[in-house]
Amino acid sequence: MSNSRINQIKTSDSCGCRSGSQTESVQQERKQLTIDFMYIDLEVCTRCKRTEENLNDAIAEVANLLKTIGYDVRVNSILVENEEQAEALRFVSSPTIRINGKDIQLTTKESNCDTCGSITGSNVDCRVWIYEGKEYTEAPKPLIINAILKEVYGAGQNTEEGREEPYVLPENLKRFFTAKREDKHKDCCTNGGSVQCC
């Protein structure tokens, strides 16, 4: 190809007419990444607190990339306080991270959580995260980053869609909510009956 032909190609795009309209259409086509972080306690539970920290760090690390490729990120931090709310959210284990409605951990494994047990005075199981063959008591940052990137680059390839199983509130959560409610009732009723809580 001659130099004059190369120059013609360069100058034909250099007016900015076509590139400007392409830039506008890219800016108008921003996509939404919704991350739901659901938990039963953020004051005492170390698993929930550390998972929230790792989630925030993971989002900070990929924020520039997501912005560049046209994604806006919205994080919903949801304290699950009772059975009705858990059922409405189809909440199975604490903590949970969902990206665009999909749990980032496909399997549910739990172990005894001492800190949540201290809230209710009974045994409470919280989520165990499995990443690259190892178990963690909080969601590892690389697991969260991989889940975000998988959702972004594999958008529309959700194999779980349409296969939603019937929801049953786990016994573990029932026990937790019942014990927490009874503990709250006991606290307010031991104040000489001056507080109406129930």
Side-chain angles (χ1 to χ4, degrees):
M1 188 181 281
S2 69
N3 282 341
S4 61
R5 177 71 181 133
I6 292 170
N7 288 337
Q8 284 176 357
I9 292 169
K10 285 181 181 176
T11 54
S12 67
D13 287 335
S14 65
C15 74
C17 301
R18 208 164 17 131
S19 61
S21 62
Q22 287 174 342
T23 303
E24 284 175 23
S25 67
V26 168
Q27 288 174 348
Q28 290 170 355
E29 294 175 15
R30 296 198 66 77
K31 295 166 281 266
Q32 182 75 42
L33 195 71
T34 301
I35 300 174
D36 296 316
F37 172 55
M38 297 180 277
Y39 53 89
I40 56 174
D41 178 80
L42 264 187
E43 293 177 18
V44 177
C45 180
T46 53
R47 296 188 192 199
C48 292
K49 290 195 285 188
R50 289 179 189 151
T51 294
E52 182 187 44
E53 289 168 12
N54 289 348
L55 174 60
N56 290 337
D57 289 347
I59 292 169
E61 285 198 24
V62 295
N64 285 337
L65 169 67
L66 294 173
K67 184 177 178 184
T68 300
I69 62 175
Y71 275 86
D72 293 321
V73 180
R74 184 177 73 209
V75 179
N76 300 316
S77 185
I78 305 165
L79 171 62
V80 183
E81 300 184 81
N82 53 51
E83 295 92 331
E84 294 75 23
Q85 190 182 8
E87 288 172 1
L89 293 167
R90 301 177 64 85
F91 184 64
V92 294
S93 187
S94 181
T96 289
I97 298 172
R98 291 181 188 157
I99 300 177
N100 288 346
K102 297 178 286 264
D103 198 320
I104 68 167
Q105 187 80 93
L106 297 179
T107 58
T108 303
K109 185 170 184 177
E110 296 176 316
S111 67
N112 185 50
C113 177
D114 293 334
T115 52
C116 279
S118 71
I119 297 170
T120 62
S122 61
N123 286 344
V124 177
D125 292 336
C126 285
R127 179 166 252 166
V128 173
W129 303 84
I130 301 166
Y131 179 66
E132 294 190 346
K134 294 183 181 175
E135 294 185 1
Y136 301 85
T137 54
E138 67 271 347
K141 187 166 63 171
L143 168 67
I144 300 168
I145 290 173
N146 283 341
I148 290 170
L149 296 179
K150 187 176 178 183
E151 178 63 24
V152 166
Y153 290 112
Q157 297 178 12
N158 181 12
T159 55
E160 289 182 41
E161 214 164 34
R163 294 194 303 171
E164 199 172 82
E165 295 186 15
Y167 175 80
V168 177
L169 181 67
E171 286 299 321
N172 178 49
L173 290 174
K174 281 184 190 175
R175 285 194 312 272
F176 175 79
F177 294 130
T178 300
K180 193 173 176 185
R181 192 169 45 249
E182 286 172 358
D183 190 49
K184 184 179 176 184
H185 173 74
K186 186 171 51 178
D187 284 348
C188 73
C189 291
T190 54
N191 288 334
S194 60
V195 178
Q196 289 279 333
C197 69
C198 337

